[in-house]
Amino acid sequence: DSDGSIRYTTYGELEPGTIVSEWPLVSGELLTTIHNQAAYEMMSLKVPLDDGDIYLVIGSVIGNKYASKIAGLTGLQVSFATDNKTGRLFLGSSLDPSDRALMIRSTEEMRFGGDYTKALDQVRERFVSTRSLFATKKGHVFLLMHQPLDVAMAPYEQLQRFVTHLLLTTLIIVMTIIWIFSTVLTRPLHQLSDAVKRLTVGDYTKKIEVRTKDEIGALAEVFNAMQDGIEQREQNIVQQSLTDPI
């Protein structure tokens, strides 16, 4: 009937007179109902009759098989639970038996009070979960969707590896650039130091190669000119000592 009470049924678990909806039925609207610790997803269709309108209600039991079908469509693990005046009830799940047992035990512990989201605490170490009303806001059936934590974190792990590789690559490039610049800057200074050592022992044969036009290049040119001057002066002294009479 339009008030949600069953007049005729082919499903033995729902007897005539059972109320399947707390709200007036609307043709084509999805609804969920809970009866005898079982939940059902239904859709009502209005059927006009001579003695008044009735509603044809079709649906399915919300349980493990139903959850597995939803999981196959979404690619996520799915659970169903209620949150109504009679207490919390775990309806079914596509989780493996061990995780399903955790959910059932947690739900039973929370059956008569508390926040339902706490029922997920024991599986949060393995899954990322979210909760939403299922099928319609006019009902007390909640859909819990779970994704394995390693799958959920995979994109972040890839990002972490990418950032790590990027930082290492950047560090290598920076160190290479520093090495190149330090080599370019210190090579003329090393050449100048070697030239000073040769000059102290009287070796004037090798000059500093001037490859830059900056301050270091100017210093190298001045040093080469000084080396030429010292060499020429020593040659003049030797020549004079050989030609002048004693």
Side-chain angles (χ1 to χ4, degrees):
D1 292 324
S2 62
D3 63 355
S5 63
I6 294 178
R7 184 183 299 184
Y8 308 103
T9 179
T10 61
Y11 186 64
E13 299 296 330
L14 297 174
E15 303 86 0
T18 301
I19 303 296
V20 298
S21 177
E22 300 176 10
W23 297 271
L25 296 178
V26 178
S27 183
E29 183 179 69
L30 288 173
L31 61 102
T32 55
T33 187
I34 301 167
H35 180 68
N36 290 338
Q37 295 189 345
Y40 307 87
E41 180 195 17
M42 300 179 175
M43 175 179 285
S44 60
L45 300 173
K46 186 176 181 180
V47 180
L49 297 177
D50 294 338
D51 59 347
D53 297 335
I54 64 171
Y55 286 82
L56 173 64
V57 178
I58 57 177
S60 60
V61 179
I62 299 175
N64 293 337
K65 291 182 179 179
Y66 191 83
S68 297
K69 291 180 180 179
I70 299 297
L73 295 174
T74 62
L76 300 173
Q77 297 296 326
V78 173
S79 301
F80 290 98
T82 67
D83 187 5
N84 60 11
K85 297 177 182 179
T86 62
R88 294 168 174 80
L89 178 67
F90 192 80
L91 301 173
S93 176
S94 63
L95 293 170
D96 61 50
S98 59
D99 290 324
R100 188 183 303 165
L102 285 176
M103 289 294 293
I104 293 173
R105 185 165 60 252
S106 299
T107 303
E108 289 300 320
E109 291 174 357
M110 298 290 295
R111 186 171 178 79
F112 297 105
D115 184 359
Y116 183 78
T117 57
K118 293 181 180 179
L120 301 178
D121 288 344
Q122 298 187 51
V123 293
R124 281 177 177 165
E125 293 183 359
R126 294 189 56 195
F127 293 95
V128 176
S129 302
T130 183
R131 184 187 73 161
S132 63
L133 281 166
F134 179 66
T136 173
K137 293 182 179 179
K138 295 180 179 180
H140 301 286
V141 176
F142 287 88
L143 169 67
L144 309 172
M145 304 188 75
H146 318 282
Q147 187 177 41
L149 190 60
D150 54 348
V151 175
M153 295 300 295
Y156 299 98
E157 292 176 356
Q158 292 176 359
L159 178 61
Q160 185 179 26
R161 288 194 295 269
F162 172 76
V163 172
T164 301
H165 292 162
L166 180 61
L167 290 176
L168 290 176
T169 303
T170 302
L171 179 61
I172 293 173
I173 293 174
V174 170
M175 294 300 293
T176 302
I177 292 175
I178 293 175
W179 178 81
I180 292 174
F181 272 96
S182 64
T183 301
V184 171
L185 291 176
T186 59
R187 182 180 298 167
L189 297 179
H190 287 303
Q191 292 179 348
L192 184 60
S193 175
D194 293 340
V196 171
K197 293 178 181 178
R198 292 194 303 271
L199 188 63
T200 56
V201 296
D203 182 4
Y204 308 108
T205 59
K206 188 174 182 180
K207 296 184 178 181
I208 301 176
E209 296 182 4
V210 181
R211 298 181 179 179
T212 62
K213 296 184 180 298
D214 54 8
E215 291 80 0
I216 296 178
L219 179 61
E221 291 181 350
V222 170
F223 186 86
N224 287 336
M226 181 185 68
Q227 178 176 310
D228 292 339
I230 294 175
E231 181 181 12
Q232 184 63 41
R233 182 176 179 182
E234 287 191 358
Q235 289 178 354
N236 292 337
I237 293 174
V238 172
Q239 184 69 26
Q240 185 175 2
S241 66
L242 293 176
T243 55
D244 288 347
I246 300 177

